[in-house]
Amino acid sequence: MLADAPTSGVEELVRIDARVVNKVDAIRQVGQLLAAAGCVSPDYEDSMVAREEIANTFLGAGVAIPHGLGEDKGKVRRDGIAILQLRDGVEWNPGQRAHIVVGIAANSDNHIAILRRLTRLIQDEARLEDLRTTGNPDDFRRALWADEAAATTAAQPARDYSQTVSWTLDYPTGLHARPASAWVEAARSSGVRLRVRHGGESADPSSLIALLQMGLRCGDPVTFSAEGAGARPALEAFVARVRSLSGREKADAERAAQKASAPVQGWKPQGEARMIAGVAASPGLAIGTVHVLAAHDLSVPDQPCDLVSGGTALNTALTRTRAQMKALIDDTTRRLGAGDAAIFRAQAELLDDTDLITLTCQIMVEGHGVAWAWHEAVSRIAGQLSALGNPVLAARAADLHDVGRRVLAELDPSLAAGTMADLPEAPCILVAADLSPSETATLDTARVAGIATALGGPTSHSAILARTLGLPSVVAGGADLLGVASGTLAIVDGDGGRVWVDPGEADLASARDWIDRLAAERVSQEAERGQPAITLDGTSIEVAANVNRPDQVAFALAQGGEGVGLMRTEFLFLESGDTPSEDEQAAIYLAMAEALDARSLIVRALDIGGDKQVPHLDLPVEENPFLGVRGARLLLRRPDLLDPQLRALYRAAKQGGALSIMFPMITSLEELVELRARCEAIRAELDAPHVPIGIMIEVPAAAVQAHVLAGHADFFSIGTNDLTQYVLAMDRQNPELAAQAQSLHPAVLRMIAMTIEGAKAHGRWVGVCGGIAGDPFGAALLAGLGVSELSMTPRDIPAVKARIRQSRIEDLQALARQALAARDVAAVRALDTGGIGQGAGAPGKAA
């Protein structure tokens, strides 16, 4: 029995300060120790090497447990273990270095006792360090063969290491996951043993979970301590890193406070409802009980397995999940910036947390299956975090559940079903960290009344889809949002960018009345949606729809659309796992033209890059894709993408219809001239009719050069979402900047005015297919500036048309002059004197 191994002869199974060439050499040496002791047949080491080729036996904290294949149990003559102490360590896997190699030979369950002690041992960093450097083999006997009772002695009170530094935590929201993950990174690179203590509680700062479980709040005194060679400078460097985070944490808290104290537009409660400030993404007011996706409870089957196979399965699942998290971090860094990606880096840290992995192993050795053990470990630790009473830590518990489900899906694919199927029957407020476009597109509007996300931007594809679905939506609500419990009553204000939690009866009645008034106004607008948008003094503004597929045309026309002002062809590539062929594209463009029945159709050439990446196109990864090879730049470099699309478009044009081609992200005359030349060559080759060739105005360079570009373009369409981003130098999907990156900024309006003046020099018309075209107040301003066509999400058409019909062009021109002279966005918005639904949409909304 391993637990009762004799003290005599233990030296024969422990090799102190061993020297190995590589991992395989270490495995063979430990196998030879077992063979020399008579525990296994001489060829058992081959079985151990073969096992390592198909399964990783690295347990963690510098400990590896190689063993033989299951089918080779017959080669085990008696149970035993052998130990190599590798003071210099050996690379076991990339990023994993083993210092203690424990070879296991067992044909029964007797090795469970040793594994139980190993999982406890890897939590004791100080003892592990002693074992890595000891010259006495008997220390291993005491650590691994000692009496079970001695291994579970009561924990000693928290103590400091020899070198100490005291500090008072000054992070306004306490120690939450983002700064804690920075502590972990600094601790792991310090090269010494570190400890963090608050009162009688202490934690190893290299463990994210241990840090968060301390529940440190602003104002809490903490003591940092260290020991080991170079402890003092390493400790001071660690503390300097901790203190360096204070500035950002305070700035973030100040921005959150400013966002929360900003004037509330639209509906306002009179009671004591708690307010969570976000950014408006899709207009309207919605009432419902909260359904938090991260709070989904799973029924995980318990299918017991031995620790060896369970550990292998867990390691494989963790490895795959790490790869998923890396992709998520890369995507978030690209879309939102490194600061927001830190949220997911903190989640990824949980996958390497010794406490979590150890607890899972301990539960497995109690006789439970790996999936059940993992889920139980996650639930226990998340429960501890939630019980601390800190809403930020409650959000981190949600993070733990979220990443835990990713691992579960790898362990048992049957547990991978999304939580969308578990939505309550009554319309709810869907709360999540973020929603992908595919998740948003498949929402059941009979069961979802509104959406609120912690991340995201108002011009994201998910926001576009929310508007298409008519779902009030708030984005960038932050960690507080994820701390709201499922079942809590809430109101989402998609106009003001607020979520109101636990409203009273009076506020509920007020909100329902507001919703009824909006609905009545909407009915009135929709009754007239078929009427043209002609001002009271006779100026006509064409109102078109942004549509991606032929099957969406009917709804767009039913909403009053007079054509398609923007067909985003990139969706043909994004929604498919392959690049659509020329024939496939031609069929779609022809179907779109036929659905419009001679109404205008403006097709935007492939606009890939920035926030729209297509994996199957194998495009190079760029540090800043918004400033990289995107739009026209990509098309000119990839004739394999440009030419088939142009041929498909001209083939469709030969069949009839009012088709126009529009090129995205033009920054120079040379690009436009080269693209027009390519169009003409393909048109002539196919003997197709001439079609209007227009360009998007999305960058300041194009706006400034509009008077030159207009000489070579048949029309302009202004993409206000990207133009806003480039004029203000603000990532339009960064939640921290979303409230400032607004298209009604006077600087953006002046760029639009400059574009219109440049177009007039050559008699070209100008349209807008960006977000403010669908905002009734924004549309009124654009008409006053001289825009003659507005294209938007179909659901926005009735309200925009109604606003135009209620106005005089001379009044709109005066309004535009005032806006151009305004000092900031707030001053521009203050010019809106519309009613309950007029101008309610937030500036810069997705379109």
Side-chain angles (χ1 to χ4, degrees):
M1 299 283 288
L2 295 177
D4 301 319
T7 58
S8 62
V10 69
E11 292 84 359
E12 296 177 4
L13 299 182
V14 178
R15 183 170 292 169
I16 295 295
D17 195 18
R19 295 288 186 266
V20 299
V21 177
N22 51 33
K23 175 174 70 171
V24 172
D25 184 31
I27 294 172
R28 290 198 177 278
Q29 284 195 35
V30 82
Q32 291 161 9
L33 280 177
L34 288 169
C39 296
V40 299
S41 62
D43 60 346
Y44 186 70
E45 65 180 85
D46 294 329
S47 180
M48 297 175 76
V49 171
R51 176 78 188 202
E52 192 66 35
E53 291 176 352
I54 63 173
N56 177 25
T57 60
F58 189 81
L59 186 60
V63 179
I65 53 170
H67 46 277
L69 295 166
E71 58 264 33
D72 289 336
K73 281 188 176 182
K75 297 179 180 179
V76 177
R77 295 171 179 171
R78 64 182 178 86
D79 295 345
I81 68 168
I83 299 170
L84 289 186
Q85 179 207 58
L86 307 174
R87 292 177 181 172
D88 295 332
V90 64
E91 184 180 60
W92 206 260
N93 296 302
Q96 297 175 338
R97 197 160 188 85
H99 292 271
I100 299 172
V101 180
V102 183
I104 299 175
N107 52 23
S108 67
D109 292 331
N110 291 331
H111 63 296
I112 294 297
I114 290 297
L115 290 171
R116 181 185 297 115
R117 290 194 179 98
L118 280 171
T119 57
R120 291 196 178 105
L121 182 61
I122 62 176
Q123 297 178 81
D124 190 339
E125 185 177 348
R127 192 163 194 189
L128 270 179
E129 182 62 26
D130 289 341
L131 291 176
R132 291 170 190 163
T133 58
T134 184
N136 184 1
D138 213 39
D139 288 343
F140 285 93
R141 181 192 62 79
R142 284 190 289 270
L144 297 176
W145 280 281
D147 189 294
E148 181 74 14
T152 57
T153 54
Q156 296 298 311
R159 65 176 181 85
D160 299 327
Y161 290 134
S162 58
Q163 299 293 321
T164 64
V165 172
S166 295
W167 181 63
T168 299
L169 187 72
D170 60 359
Y171 304 165
T173 55
L175 184 62
H176 57 93
R178 186 172 63 194
S181 63
W183 289 26
V184 170
E185 182 180 345
R188 290 180 178 176
S189 63
S190 68
V192 300
R193 291 190 293 276
L194 291 167
R195 179 165 290 164
V196 179
R197 180 177 60 80
H198 169 57
E201 297 184 26
S202 67
D204 176 354
S206 66
S207 168
L208 182 66
I209 290 175
L211 284 175
L212 294 179
Q213 285 178 327
M214 293 184 74
L216 295 176
R217 300 172 182 269
C218 185
D220 283 348
V222 294
T223 299
F224 302 108
S225 61
E227 69 178 13
R232 191 69 203 179
L235 176 62
E236 290 174 353
F238 175 77
V239 174
R241 175 59 176 146
V242 166
R243 287 174 170 163
S244 73
L245 301 173
S246 297
R248 169 164 184 168
E249 290 301 309
K250 291 174 181 177
D252 285 352
E254 184 178 349
R255 279 194 294 269
Q258 290 173 350
K259 188 166 66 171
S261 62
V264 177
Q265 298 175 346
W267 178 79
K268 300 177 184 179
Q270 302 301 314
E272 299 296 323
R274 180 164 71 96
M275 186 267 286
I276 297 175
V279 175
S282 180
L285 205 64
I287 303 172
T289 55
V290 167
H291 178 79
V292 184
L293 290 185
H296 179 58
D297 292 324
L298 292 171
S299 176
V300 180
D302 191 0
Q303 300 171 333
C305 62
D306 64 271
L307 183 58
V308 173
S309 60
T312 299
L314 179 60
N315 183 74
T316 300
L318 290 170
T319 299
R320 290 175 177 169
T321 306
R322 287 186 193 102
Q324 292 176 8
M325 296 301 295
K326 183 180 184 303
L328 181 60
I329 290 166
D330 291 345
D331 180 65
T332 306
T333 300
R334 175 177 56 77
R335 292 188 303 110
L336 305 180
D340 292 288
I343 294 172
F344 299 111
R345 286 195 178 90
Q347 282 193 354
E349 286 283 356
L350 299 173
L351 297 171
D352 295 316
D353 196 280
T354 299
D355 292 346
L356 179 59
I357 296 171
T358 298
L359 180 57
T360 303
C361 291
Q362 289 174 335
I363 295 171
M364 275 196 285
V365 300
E366 293 171 1
H368 298 286
V370 58
W372 193 93
W374 171 262
H375 184 59
E376 178 67 13
V378 168
S379 298
R380 289 183 192 177
I381 295 177
Q384 292 168 5
L385 293 173
S386 298
L388 293 172
N390 185 321
V392 175
L393 294 184
R396 300 289 69 78
D399 279 345
L400 184 54
H401 280 301
D402 188 29
V403 76
R405 281 195 307 279
R406 293 178 185 271
V407 177
L408 270 183
E410 295 297 332
L411 289 169
D412 185 349
S414 69
L415 300 174
T419 55
M420 296 297 184
D422 301 316
L423 293 173
E425 291 300 325
C428 68
I429 302 301
L430 186 62
V431 170
D434 204 354
L435 289 177
S436 69
S438 60
E439 288 173 326
T440 309
T442 57
L443 289 178
D444 183 353
T445 55
R447 299 170 70 182
V448 176
I451 302 171
T453 62
L455 300 174
T459 58
S460 68
H461 289 147
S462 294
I464 293 171
L465 292 167
R467 288 171 66 83
T468 300
L469 294 169
L471 291 173
S473 177
V474 171
V475 297
D480 284 352
L481 189 61
L482 295 178
V484 179
S486 287
T488 304
L489 197 61
I491 298 172
V492 168
D493 178 6
D495 295 309
R498 300 288 190 270
V499 178
W500 303 93
V501 181
D502 284 325
E505 286 301 324
D507 285 336
L508 286 171
S510 170
R512 292 187 183 107
D513 179 61
W514 185 275
I515 291 171
D516 289 343
R517 292 163 63 197
L518 281 176
E521 183 173 339
R522 185 75 178 180
V523 169
S524 174
Q525 293 167 349
E526 290 183 350
E528 301 294 325
R529 64 184 182 271
Q531 299 300 316
I534 302 176
T535 64
L536 293 172
D537 45 3
T539 298
S540 178
I541 305 295
E542 183 178 353
V543 179
N546 296 339
V547 170
N548 303 326
R549 300 190 306 268
D551 59 3
Q552 298 172 336
V553 170
F555 177 72
L557 297 180
Q559 290 298 109
E562 298 163 0
V564 169
L566 173 63
M567 178 187 179
R568 304 182 186 92
T569 60
E570 59 270 17
F571 278 84
L572 305 180
F573 294 73
L574 289 165
E575 294 175 356
S576 171
D578 299 303
T579 300
S581 67
E582 177 185 327
D583 288 345
E584 290 171 331
Q585 290 190 63
I588 292 171
Y589 303 145
L590 181 58
M592 182 75 83
E594 290 175 343
L596 284 165
D597 191 23
R599 297 177 181 86
S600 64
L601 167 62
I602 300 176
V603 180
R604 183 173 69 189
L606 183 62
D607 186 15
I608 291 298
D611 60 336
K612 291 169 287 192
Q613 299 292 326
V614 181
H616 60 78
L617 293 183
D618 297 321
L619 301 177
V621 176
E622 300 178 287
E623 270 194 35
N624 193 334
F626 280 104
L627 299 181
V629 180
R630 61 172 298 202
R633 300 169 187 171
L634 175 65
L635 293 173
L636 290 170
R637 286 167 171 79
R638 291 286 299 269
D640 60 311
L641 297 175
L642 173 62
D643 290 358
Q645 182 169 46
L646 291 180
R647 282 195 294 269
L649 286 166
Y650 278 108
R651 283 170 57 184
K654 287 184 70 171
Q655 304 299 313
L659 185 147
S660 299
I661 299 173
M662 178 167 66
F663 289 106
M665 287 297 295
I666 294 292
T667 56
S668 70
L669 177 61
E670 290 76 13
E671 290 171 338
L672 174 55
V673 169
E674 188 174 349
L675 287 166
R676 286 203 72 124
R678 193 67 205 136
C679 286
E680 177 55 26
I682 289 175
R683 185 206 66 76
E685 175 189 329
L686 297 175
D687 191 26
H690 289 276
V691 301
I693 304 295
I695 64 171
M696 296 282 290
I697 302 294
E698 300 168 278
V699 297
V704 171
Q705 289 284 92
H707 64 291
V708 174
L709 294 172
H712 298 266
D714 298 316
F715 64 92
F716 291 158
S717 185
I718 302 173
T720 54
N721 297 343
D722 267 324
L723 183 61
T724 300
Q725 173 173 251
Y726 293 122
V727 168
L728 301 181
M730 292 182 180
D731 186 340
R732 61 188 172 93
Q733 296 201 63
N734 188 327
E736 293 183 10
L737 301 175
Q740 299 165 262
Q742 299 191 38
S743 297
L744 292 184
H745 193 290
V748 179
L749 296 178
R750 288 172 190 149
M751 282 288 177
I752 294 173
M754 187 180 298
T755 300
I756 295 168
E757 285 302 310
K760 285 180 181 178
H762 294 274
R764 309 304 188 193
W765 64 267
V766 178
V768 172
C769 60
I772 56 174
D775 172 1
F777 174 61
L781 268 179
L782 292 171
L785 287 169
V787 167
S788 56
E789 183 250 22
L790 301 166
S791 191
M792 65 206 69
T793 298
R795 287 186 182 274
D796 292 335
I797 292 173
V800 167
K801 279 187 158 185
R803 182 67 175 252
I804 298 297
R805 285 196 298 264
Q806 295 166 5
S807 308
R808 293 182 181 275
I809 194 64
E810 60 183 32
D811 294 334
L812 297 182
Q813 290 168 344
L815 176 68
R817 287 193 294 271
Q818 288 179 283
L820 291 173
R823 64 181 185 180
D824 54 28
V825 174
V828 173
R829 178 58 71 179
L831 298 172
D832 182 14
T833 57
I836 184 173
Q838 302 296 334
K845 285 177 184 172

